Amino acid sequence: MLKKLLLVTLMGVTSIAFGQRPDNQIKREVSVNGKVFDADTNTPMEYATVSFTDQAGKIVTGGITDQKGEYNIEVPSGTYSVKFEFISYEPKTLTNQKLISDITLPNISLETDSQALNEVIVRAETTEVQVRLDKKIYNIGKDLTTSGATVSDALSNVPSVTVDVDGAIALRGNGNVRILINGRPSAIAGFGSTDALQQLPAEAIERVEVITSPSARYDAEGTAGILNIILRKEKTLGLNGQIQANYGVPLQSGLTGNINLRTDKFNIFNTTGIRYRQSPGNAFFRNEFLEDGNVDLTVLENREYERLNRGFNTNLGMEYFLSDKTSVTASAFLRLGDDEDMTDNFTDDFGPDGAPLESRTRTELETEEDTSFQLSLNYITKFNEDGHELTVDFQWADDEETERSIIEEFQTFPEDEILPTEDILINETQNEYLGQVDYVLPIGENAQFEAGYRGTFEETVTNQLATEEEFPGGPFLRNDDLSNIFTYNEDVNAVYTQYGNKFGDFSFLAGLRYEHTRLRGSLDEESVQTDVVNDLLVDFDRTFDGLFPTLNLTYELNDRENITLGYNRRINRPRGRSVNPFPSRSSEANIFQGNPNLRPAFANAFDLGYLKRWDKLTLTSSIYYQRETDSFERIQEETGEDTPNGIPIVRSLPINLSSNERYGFEAGVLYNPAKWLRLNGSFNFFRFVSEGEFNGTDFGAENTSYFARGSAKVTLPYKIDWQTNMFYRGPTNNAQTDTKGLISVNLAFSKDIINDNATIGLNVSDLFNSRVRRSFTDTPTFRSDSEFQWRVRQVNLSFTYRFNQKKQRERGGRGDDGGDDDFEG
């Protein structure tokens, strides 16, 4: 943002100089155009400055390059020196240019100025934003509070995004969000699960693209939209990199390094990290079971969590340049996890008169070993410098997770008694193949045509073996009601085409995507004796065809102000845990059960946006509306079954509702009133209206809520940076449950040392230990009051050392690392 402000200021000065030229010197205007490129990466340079100086040494006029590195400037005819500049790059000048008619100047390539980099300090900033036709781009790598944090923590600082206390990610309050890595589904993101994102270091991210109105190039999956996480890959020639170590309380430690070696023929890149993290948490449940409207039984549960996460991850890749226009990239990702979680569940039962009936202690020790491997191949040919290109991608991923839970239970009232122990072993394997072809053809100066294919083929096999002691200390016997082998397949074939063009200040991008989906679930015949589990049919084989149109429009009111309008149709497919019908076992009386009968949900969404930039202030805003059919909703209901102790079992179950309407408003402000102060704030207000019933119960509801976040970064004396982030989520509700508001504050300090080659940082996550979810559920047969805190306050100290690499001098990520250079208009 600092670079942009300097450039805009320079253009203001040159414009004034041009405006003050005497009338008797007015000459015929000629049009001068051309392109500016980064010499290291051969990518277009946005916001490069172009200035025209006459023979008297006076700046007559100038301009800046657009998103494609292009400029088109009107200048009075005459002889000029044309100068091309960008901060931290060596300027270039074309001298004695006789401009007497419309002309296209030669392409200009600017090289990095190492001396200037040593002199110009570009200090870390809070999250900055760039707006495109179909997305907003946030360079979250400049956020001090992400130092030593995870990818999941970093996402919680991105406007429009929320991460709740147990790691679930939502976009504009909608949890049906698709998470991509470098534009593709990935084992790094867990194919929809967020567990992996809570283990990967935030330092691996270059930027996050928030895509609320995705074009036809993207998957139609995710009714809320897409979060596309772009990983780091340095573009500077030579050997460079950085290493970061961190230590925190409660105990956490990590070591992350990334290294890059780039020559004219190849680019080798690697990011490797190890992590050790303890995450204590707690929960409380108060369930009241009603008989004729009166409380017949009260069950209190107090849970204490001690989580230990140990992980290793590495991403190694090489890009080989077959020619100036063709390259092949191969990369491999490996993640190893070794976790150990201890949950103590203290349960007390009380009768109608409040008298104690029974007390129990249930202890679950869960060990989990994860191995994820992914191999990716990418081929790209750039037929010319105008964007005519062909890319081919192949990706194979394998993920294996083994969980073992030893559940011991003791009765402590009215008398001490040891209850039978359970031993549950779950092995889950997941394989995915992805193939993708994208073709981009520019047509004329402003138009562009795209077409492509993507196929994803995924299989998940969950093998659960549940055994239980016949009597305390006795032999373990197989529990046929819980043991199972469940196989889930999801195959999606998609083709798309889209066309974009620009007419003056108006740009559009229209596309159509067709997707054929096949969902299959099957139960191994030897694993259970029935194909119905708790009234839910297990085996299914369903196909779905869908057309998904997209349209994105932009009108530029001026070079600092525009209006955007987007429309898209999307799908939300049931997957993974949501369709596995076998219940969880962390609690006997409160369980989660997947629903194999879930159907995909379809949504139509509209988004109207407005952007305005001033010298020190940037405003982004949107009004949005979405209507979703067969939307997913999680409900709670009694199963009609009791625990061995006679306690009614309550299950949480995802279901399809008939419809869900969402509309809201969001706004974001970036304000830099002084060099030492940077402010960043966003606000999102939304309203949901859902309709539908299940098992004769009406689950329609209306919900109005909001969330807001603010960030302030101050440069203190001795070049110490201080940043404070605050987040507040307002109360929410659905048909059964009211959830109270939640507030949290993060604090961070940072200072550069060793000639600015190193940084030491201190940050505190959840400063006031207030990130607690409090909910109340009310049904005709039971009431539930609960509190849940996933992780307590965290203090973290980090040290980062960079070699041959200056601190955060990116220009906003326009490059070849994401594979998603959509038509920008």
Side-chain angles (χ1 to χ4, degrees), residues 241-242 752 756-759 800-807:
Q242 71 174 37
D752 292 344
D756 293 342
N757 288 313
T759 303
T800 304
Y801 181 78
R802 297 171 291 276
F803 57 94
N804 298 334
Q805 186 183 81
K806 280 298 175 181
K807 181 180 178 182

Side-chain angles (χ1 to χ4, degrees), residues 240-382:
N240 56 81
Q242 71 174 37
I243 186 169
Q244 182 178 90
N246 66 278
Y247 180 85
V249 179
L251 182 58
Q252 79 160 15
S253 59
L255 184 66
T256 301
N258 65 72
I259 190 169
N260 214 95
L261 175 61
R262 187 181 182 108
T263 71
D264 292 333
K265 291 298 295 182
F266 62 83
N267 183 26
I268 299 176
F269 51 93
N270 173 251
T271 299
T272 299
I274 56 175
R275 298 183 69 82
Y276 181 97
R277 185 172 197 169
Q278 292 181 355
S279 299
N282 57 83
F284 169 77
F285 298 85
R286 179 187 179 94
N287 291 341
E288 295 180 340
F289 297 91
L290 308 179
E291 185 72 32
D292 296 327
N294 298 314
V295 177
D296 183 59
L297 174 67
T298 300
V299 179
L300 302 183
E301 284 190 34
N302 281 283
R303 298 185 193 176
E304 295 180 359
Y305 303 97
E306 289 291 340
R307 303 182 185 88
L308 173 59
N309 306 112
R310 292 165 289 210
F312 167 84
N313 64 85
T314 184
N315 185 36
L316 175 64
M318 176 177 177
E319 181 178 12
Y320 185 76
F321 304 100
L322 299 174
S323 68
D324 292 341
K325 298 180 179 179
T326 302
S327 67
V328 176
T329 303
S331 63
F333 170 79
L334 174 66
R335 179 174 65 89
L336 304 175
D338 184 10
D339 302 338
E340 186 176 294
D341 298 342
M342 174 68 77
T343 303
D344 292 321
N345 193 335
F346 305 96
T347 305
D348 299 291
D349 303 339
F350 300 89
D353 56 356
L357 300 178
E358 187 176 80
S359 296
R360 299 176 304 282
T361 298
R362 180 184 177 90
T363 301
E364 178 180 1
L365 174 61
E366 178 184 304
T367 58
E368 179 179 322
E369 294 183 356
D370 297 298
T371 302
S372 296
F373 179 76
Q374 177 178 290
L375 177 65
S376 301
L377 295 172
N378 168 267
Y379 169 86
I380 181 170
T381 291
K382 298 182 179 181

Side-chain angles (χ1 to χ4, degrees), residues 152-208:
S152 183
D153 297 326
L155 290 176
S156 67
N157 290 336
V158 175
S160 304
V161 179
T162 54
V163 181
D164 70 11
V165 292
D166 45 3
I169 298 171
L171 182 58
R172 292 174 169 174
N174 187 347
N176 301 326
V177 57
R178 180 67 156 170
I179 298 176
L180 305 178
I181 303 292
N182 292 339
R184 291 175 288 277
S186 173
I188 301 176
F191 299 121
S193 168
T194 61
D195 293 343
L197 300 180
Q198 298 178 42
Q199 300 178 27
L200 293 178
E203 289 76 22
I205 303 177
E206 177 176 310
R207 66 185 188 272
V208 173

Side-chain angles (χ1 to χ4, degrees), residues 225-244:
I226 294 173
L227 291 179
N228 185 23
I229 300 172
I230 305 299
L231 301 182
R232 288 183 183 275
K233 188 171 67 173
E234 182 63 37
K235 308 176 188 69
T236 306
L237 289 173
L239 178 68
N240 56 81
Q242 71 174 37
I243 186 169
Q244 182 178 90

Side-chain angles (χ1 to χ4, degrees), residues 132-145:
R132 299 290 183 258
L133 258 175
D134 59 345
K135 59 194 171 190
K136 295 183 179 73
I137 301 173
Y138 297 94
N139 296 308
I140 63 174
K142 301 187 178 184
D143 196 320
L144 300 183
T145 60

